[in-house]
Amino acid sequence: MKIRRVISLTVFLSFIALALSGIMLFVSPQGRVAYWAGWKLFGLSKEEYSAIHTTVMILFLVVGIWHIVLNWKPIVGYLKDRTRTVSFTRPEFLAALGLTLVFLLGPLLDLPPFSLYLDAGEEVKAYWEASSGSPPWGHAEENSLQRFCRGMEDYERLENQRMVVLHCNLALEALRSAGMEVEGLSQRLLEIAEVNGTTPQALAQIIVSVARPMTPDEMAARQPRGGAAGEEAVQETYHQPYSGLGRMTMAEYAQEYGYDLEEILAILRRAGLELDSETRLREEATRLGTDPEGLIRILNGGEGEG
């Protein structure tokens, strides 16, 4: 067995594995969506594709260095001119360097076709989120059952304008009645899903099914604290969604929630922020030194720092 052949063939095979796993990660949804909905492609989850990509990358790096060592003389030969002197001005080297720099700087400078390629990736991820659903908040599957129940009460109130009560013990009973094996209220949603071969999203549907409308007395008891006695709670003028804000443009945000776009832009201008209404809020917020949520806080009269 010749080591040179083993190394060359390993470079070839690991390159294929690296490329395929990279493509799968490119077309996969955002992590919060993938974990929430139990996303899989060709039988593997995003986490498994990520593990494969990371470990194969190490193999490719090791055998790639070994391959360079074994082929060092030919590589140096590519750099030699007619006088057999190594020259970094050889057309072949300059072409290789230029090609590499184009692929390094293209995405950093947001130049086409790299920007189009990256935008396509965002569109694919948005498709998965629309078709598979997204968690009520970032990585909700990492919450304990008790914390998730409490969070869903707030989510229903803020996102769906529903004042509900969601008793954790009733949610636990509902899960067990549905045949789920649950240790207790402190167990994470993701752990429960993995043990029972289901998804956090499916568990959430069972949990929310036991929610009931809040009574007037319960509403009074849960009024926000602070302010003078009898003072009504201050309502936010501009809604801040739990997820998906960064992918919207300001024009889409205004249209989604029925706001006047020109009024929004005027408020931001008074705060010293000039915003392109047709650019994703994640990109605009980064340019302006804040985050998408910070822009909404500014609209509601608060500070915009993330």
Side-chain angles (χ1 to χ4, degrees):
M1 184 173 63
K2 294 184 178 181
I3 191 64
R4 183 182 293 271
R5 293 182 180 180
V6 173
I7 294 299
S8 295
L9 291 173
T10 305
V11 168
F12 172 68
L13 294 174
S14 59
F15 166 76
I16 293 176
L18 201 61
L20 290 177
S21 59
I23 292 172
M24 294 301 104
L25 289 174
F26 177 77
V27 302
S28 68
Q30 298 284 359
R32 57 187 176 79
V33 176
Y35 303 141
W36 180 251
W39 177 89
K40 288 189 175 182
L41 192 59
F42 302 119
L44 296 178
S45 66
K46 177 168 184 168
E47 192 172 29
E48 289 169 329
Y49 278 120
S50 180
I52 290 172
H53 193 74
T54 301
T55 53
V56 174
M57 176 188 67
I58 295 173
L59 173 63
F60 184 77
L61 181 64
V62 172
V63 295
I65 293 173
W66 203 336
H67 187 269
I68 290 172
V69 171
L70 292 175
N71 294 276
W72 184 248
K73 287 184 178 180
I75 291 173
V76 173
Y78 298 149
L79 297 172
K80 290 182 178 179
D81 56 22
R82 293 180 179 179
T83 64
R84 309 303 296 169
T85 302
V86 174
S87 172
F88 292 102
T89 59
R90 294 273 298 172
E92 295 83 359
F93 175 78
L94 294 176
L97 178 62
L99 187 61
T100 303
L101 288 175
V102 166
F103 275 77
L104 283 173
L105 298 177
L108 296 179
L109 299 175
D110 200 30
L111 300 175
F114 304 101
S115 58
L116 299 176
Y117 167 76
L118 296 175
D119 286 344
E122 290 294 325
E123 294 298 328
V124 172
K125 294 183 188 308
Y127 163 79
W128 286 119
E129 182 167 1
S131 61
S132 301
S134 60
W137 56 88
H139 293 293
E141 74 281 354
E142 294 292 344
N143 291 170
S144 67
L145 177 56
Q146 185 167 20
R147 185 172 181 181
F148 181 78
C149 291
R150 293 289 175 257
M152 282 305 299
E153 288 184 348
D154 291 336
Y155 176 81
E156 289 293 321
R157 174 172 56 85
L158 296 172
E159 192 73 13
N160 298 322
Q161 288 75 54
R162 292 180 62 220
M163 300 295 287
V164 300
V165 174
L166 209 170
H167 287 297
C168 300
N169 288 328
L170 291 179
L172 178 60
E173 292 176 12
L175 289 172
R176 287 173 173 168
S177 297
M180 303 294 172
E181 182 181 335
V182 188
E183 294 177 3
L185 295 177
S186 62
Q187 191 173 12
R188 292 185 307 138
L189 223 62
L190 184 59
E191 293 175 355
I192 299 172
E194 290 174 346
V195 167
N196 292 280
T198 186
T199 67
Q201 186 179 52
L203 297 178
Q205 292 173 351
I206 298 173
I207 293 169
V208 174
S209 69
V210 303
R212 64 168 175 78
M214 191 177 290
T215 65
D217 289 342
E218 288 170 332
M219 289 184 189
R222 296 199 183 190
Q223 284 298 319
R225 297 177 181 177
E231 183 180 342
E232 294 185 1
V234 176
Q235 297 294 322
E236 290 187 344
T237 303
Y238 293 96
H239 175 63
Q240 180 170 303
Y242 269 75
S243 64
L245 180 62
R247 290 188 303 279
M248 291 182 177
T249 66
M250 189 58 81
E252 291 170 342
Y253 170 78
Q255 182 179 8
E256 176 72 18
Y257 295 103
Y259 300 135
D260 186 323
L261 177 60
E262 291 304 318
E263 181 179 341
I264 286 176
L265 296 177
I267 294 173
L268 292 174
R269 277 195 294 270
R270 287 197 293 271
L273 302 177
E274 287 289 341
L275 183 141
D276 183 352
S277 63
E278 299 300 329
T279 301
R280 285 193 178 93
L281 288 177
R282 182 186 297 112
E283 299 172 15
E284 284 295 275
T286 299
R287 180 179 64 81
L288 297 169
T290 182
D291 54 25
E293 291 76 15
L295 294 175
I296 307 304
R297 285 194 293 272
I298 292 172
L299 292 177
N300 286 310
E303 297 295 328
E305 293 187 9

